[in-house]
Amino acid sequence: MRIDPELAGTIAAVVDEGTLEAAARRLQITPSAVSQRVKTLEQQLGRVLLVRSKPARPTEAGEAVVRLARQVALLEHDTIRAFGLDANAEESDADASAGRIRVPLAVNADSMATWFLAPLARLAAEHRIDVDLHRDDQNFTAGLLASGAVMAAVTSQAEPVGGCSATPLGVLEYEAAATPEFVARWFPDGVHPEALRHAPFVNFDRRDELQHDWLRAHGVDPWAVPRHYVPASHDFALAVRMGLGWGLLPTIQQTAGAQAVSLGGPRVRVPLYWQQWNLRSPLLDAIAAAVREEARKMLAPL
């Protein structure tokens, strides 16, 4: 059985855009045509590929089709570039999106806020790519890679996802910090377990375990401690610097603001790895090389 790349690409478009209507706008066809393509491929494979929710999401079989569609698009892009046809398309195509490829990548919020965007900006100046970043905790980004949602990911998982390769990037180091005023109020006699049980901290979201791990290392049950949720890396750091609570800040981010001082204790080290499809692709290799080079300059060694 042969899977039509156009039909597979339609499934990927629906997953990317969230609805059949949005996918139709991207593909420049009617919503009914999108629906017909989805039904055709589902009938051919004998599998339901999409859960018709809002946003639409792939089933397990649909994830495999999305992964195939992304790989075909990547190989097609590399082939066109090898022929030198992408430069001609850039000069002559009336459709500005012609010849471009969407590159979905997964990255943790702190990497995105501190070092990850710089290599992507350089790549976008050299390649006709549309970067589609999926933000998640570094402990969960590998799951997006396994599902086919992204081509590559910054992750804390050293073991390669099936069909992928893993390369060490370095260590993102964190230091517990707070404003001098916060320290004077909540830690007048130093940072000790009893004070930590009462001092509020800032948490990124309900899956963020960094502050919890730091508290446990100090003999404190984190669930008994008051906390604020601020689910954006820049705003998280701003909340700490404004005195909302104490929090763990990346050391490369903390140096950017003098409003926060260290609470002491050892730094928390989060090893990061680059995982990508185990697929020979000049574009994917170029992305990996740029990311590794930036990580070498900005992260601590493993």
Side-chain angles (χ1 to χ4, degrees):
M1 177 181 293
R2 179 179 178 273
I3 297 178
D4 187 331
E6 183 177 64
L7 300 182
T10 301
I11 300 295
V14 174
V15 171
D16 287 341
E17 304 301 330
T19 65
L20 271 66
E21 292 75 14
R25 288 193 295 270
R26 172 175 152 186
L27 298 172
Q28 299 182 344
I29 58 178
T30 66
S32 61
V34 172
S35 179
Q36 186 58 49
R37 288 183 184 182
V38 172
K39 290 178 181 177
T40 297
L41 189 54
E42 287 183 328
Q43 290 172 353
Q44 289 177 355
L45 297 178
R47 300 285 189 280
V48 174
L49 302 177
L50 291 174
V51 177
R52 270 70 164 178
S53 55
K54 288 192 176 181
R57 55 186 177 84
T59 62
E60 184 176 353
E63 289 177 351
V65 171
V66 169
R67 186 163 53 247
L68 170 65
R70 299 203 196 287
Q71 291 175 347
V72 169
L74 180 62
L75 293 173
E76 182 180 59
H77 174 274
D78 289 339
T79 302
I80 291 173
R81 186 174 178 84
F83 289 148
L85 299 177
D86 59 331
N88 296 333
E90 187 171 3
E91 294 172 1
S92 61
D93 278 333
D95 181 1
S97 65
R100 301 182 68 86
I101 182 172
R102 178 172 301 204
V103 180
L105 305 171
V107 61
N108 58 308
D110 288 332
S111 289
M112 190 189 303
T114 54
W115 66 272
F116 191 71
L117 293 180
L120 297 186
R122 292 193 294 269
L123 285 162
E126 300 172 5
H127 300 269
R128 306 193 71 201
I129 60 174
D130 296 325
V131 177
D132 184 1
L133 292 181
H134 296 241
R135 189 196 69 191
D136 206 341
D137 186 271
Q138 61 270 1
N139 295 326
F140 300 98
T141 49
L144 295 172
L145 190 61
S147 71
V150 299
M151 297 179 178
V154 176
T155 175
S156 60
Q157 183 174 320
E159 184 68 22
V161 172
C164 297
S165 60
T167 305
L169 290 175
V171 175
L172 190 56
E173 294 187 327
Y174 293 81
E175 195 165 12
T179 63
E181 295 78 12
F182 186 93
V183 172
R185 176 183 178 184
W186 294 99
F187 305 117
D189 300 318
V191 180
H192 53 80
E194 185 58 31
L196 286 170
R197 291 187 182 95
H198 296 90
F201 67 93
V202 183
N203 224 31
F204 186 86
D205 59 24
R206 285 162 178 78
R207 296 201 293 181
D208 179 13
E209 290 290 322
L210 284 179
Q211 280 70 218
H212 289 199
D213 292 342
W214 194 84
L215 284 168
R216 292 188 186 102
H218 286 76
V220 176
D221 176 9
W223 295 109
V225 181
R227 85 277 314 278
H228 308 282
Y229 290 103
V230 183
S233 187
H234 174 269
D235 295 333
F236 179 100
L238 182 61
V240 172
R241 294 187 183 118
M242 293 183 70
L244 187 63
W246 67 266
L248 285 160
L249 299 180
T251 55
I252 54 179
Q253 187 181 53
Q254 187 178 345
T255 56
Q259 301 98 322
V261 297
S262 173
L263 297 186
R267 292 178 175 180
V268 174
R269 291 169 53 86
V270 178
L272 296 177
Y273 301 85
W274 177 255
Q275 293 211 29
Q276 69 179 50
W277 291 340
N278 198 11
L279 184 71
R280 296 305 305 168
S281 162
L283 175 59
L284 205 51
D285 290 345
I287 295 171
V291 168
R292 288 196 304 267
E293 176 60 22
E294 189 71 18
R296 185 188 63 80
K297 294 186 293 185
M298 299 299 294
L299 301 180
L302 278 169

